[in-house]
């Protein structure tokens, strides 16, 4: 039996997991959970993930694992997406924590409010825009002269961070102001076989 990924296709956090499976050719069954309809809060769903969030994966032995970056770490174990060198691996994990605390809460939330709650960009909380741009600026500095975030190959750090960075314009952020980030997004998308989001 293959793993089941419970995810909403509109969510970058869920797509991260899909990208890893597709790249590593891990067989999975995608179970669409419409968060806008409250499907992540039903009793049945809460039995799988009491946190009421997607993504969550159900392994063939019945164990469930939530949190996008934890799921990616589990699925990519032993692959080139996780550096063998201890320091490089820790650097990758450093980016994963940063993504969840300093990038996703601003970029993804701004996008959600604009795309799915129809909030005009001009009415977004200024803090979302300021912190989102600060995150993009940090990425820009980190990526100057580099191909990927850690070492010279694609790692989970790139997959985690590209998930919402490639959607940032949908939340009112202008990636043209961050040239190296824009080029990196295209590079990671191409490595993952993804088309750019209009
Ligand atoms: N830190 C979690 C965040 C998960 C999360 O916020 N999921 C959202 C979709 S992106 C969700 O399930 N929202 C529905 C809800 O909270 O009811 C992760 O990386 O997986």
């Amino acid at each position: 039996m293959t793993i089941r990924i419970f995810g909403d296709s509109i969510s970058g956090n869920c797509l991260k997991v899909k990208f890893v499976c597709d790249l590593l050719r891990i067989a999975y069954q995608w179970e669409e959970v419409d968060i806008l309809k409250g499907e992540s809060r039903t009793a049945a769903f809460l039995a799988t993930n009491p946190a009421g969030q997607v993504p969550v994966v159900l392994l063939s032995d019945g164990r469930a694992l939530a949190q996008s970056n934890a799921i990616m770490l589990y699925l990519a174990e032993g692959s080139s997406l996780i550096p063998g060198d201890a320091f490089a691996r820790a650097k990758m994990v450093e980016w994963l924590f940063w993504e969840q605390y300093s990038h996703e809460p601003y970029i993804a939330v701004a996008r959600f409010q604009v795309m799915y709650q129809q909030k005009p960009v001009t009415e977004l909380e200024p803090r979302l825009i300021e912190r989102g741009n600060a995150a993009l600026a940090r990425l820009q500095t980190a990526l100057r002269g580099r191909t990927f975030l850690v070492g010279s190959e694609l790692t989970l750090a790139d997959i985690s961070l590209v998930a919402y960075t490639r959607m940032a314009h949908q939340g009112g952020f202008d990636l043209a102001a961050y040239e190296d980030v824009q080029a990196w997004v295209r590079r990671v998308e191409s490595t993952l076989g993804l088309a750019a989001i209009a």
Side-chain angles (χ1 to χ4, degrees):
M1 206 168 103
T2 56
I3 63 167
R4 295 166 77 193
I5 303 173
F6 292 82
D8 190 322
S9 313
I10 68 168
S11 152
N13 282 324
C14 297
L15 292 175
K16 288 174 194 174
V17 177
K18 182 182 186 318
F19 297 158
V20 168
C21 285
D22 289 342
L23 191 69
L24 298 180
R25 299 179 193 276
I26 297 170
Y28 63 91
Q29 189 175 313
W30 182 269
E31 309 279 359
E32 188 73 14
V33 178
D34 190 334
I35 56 172
L36 299 175
K37 290 188 182 151
E39 289 177 5
S40 58
R41 300 284 164 165
T42 64
F45 185 86
L46 290 171
T48 305
N49 183 12
Q53 291 179 327
V54 283
V56 58
V57 296
L58 205 50
L59 306 181
S60 52
D61 61 8
R63 289 178 299 170
L65 185 63
Q67 293 292 330
S68 57
N69 290 344
I71 298 170
M72 290 200 305
L73 280 164
Y74 175 75
L75 294 174
E77 175 85 7
S79 79
S80 65
L81 294 176
I82 300 179
D85 172 74
F87 185 78
R89 190 164 60 248
K91 265 289 168 200
M92 180 199 75
V93 173
E94 177 186 316
W95 281 114
L96 299 185
F97 281 113
W98 181 79
E99 185 264 349
Q100 284 288 294
Y101 195 74
S102 304
H103 179 284
E104 191 258 19
Y106 308 109
I107 308 263
V109 171
R111 169 189 177 254
F112 186 81
Q113 292 184 2
V114 173
M115 287 278 288
Y116 302 105
Q117 296 178 327
Q118 265 73 54
K119 205 180 216 186
V121 171
T122 49
E123 286 177 24
L124 287 173
E125 223 188 296
R127 192 165 175 272
L128 287 182
I129 304 291
E130 281 159 26
R131 296 290 179 96
N133 275 306
L136 293 172
R138 165 140 201 246
L139 279 178
Q140 169 71 16
T141 304
L143 286 163
R144 191 157 301 141
R146 298 191 61 85
T147 308
F148 296 113
L149 283 167
V150 179
S152 55
E153 295 197 16
L154 182 85
T155 69
L156 293 183
D158 301 291
I159 298 180
S160 180
L161 275 152
V162 91
Y164 284 108
T165 305
R166 67 195 286 263
M167 298 171 172
H169 58 289
Q170 296 177 330
F173 298 96
D174 183 7
L175 277 197
Y178 305 98
E179 267 183 23
D180 294 277
V181 176
Q182 205 169 37
W184 164 81
V185 166
R186 295 289 99 87
R187 194 176 308 124
V188 176
E189 284 178 335
S190 149
T191 311
L192 295 175
L194 304 172
I197 299 174

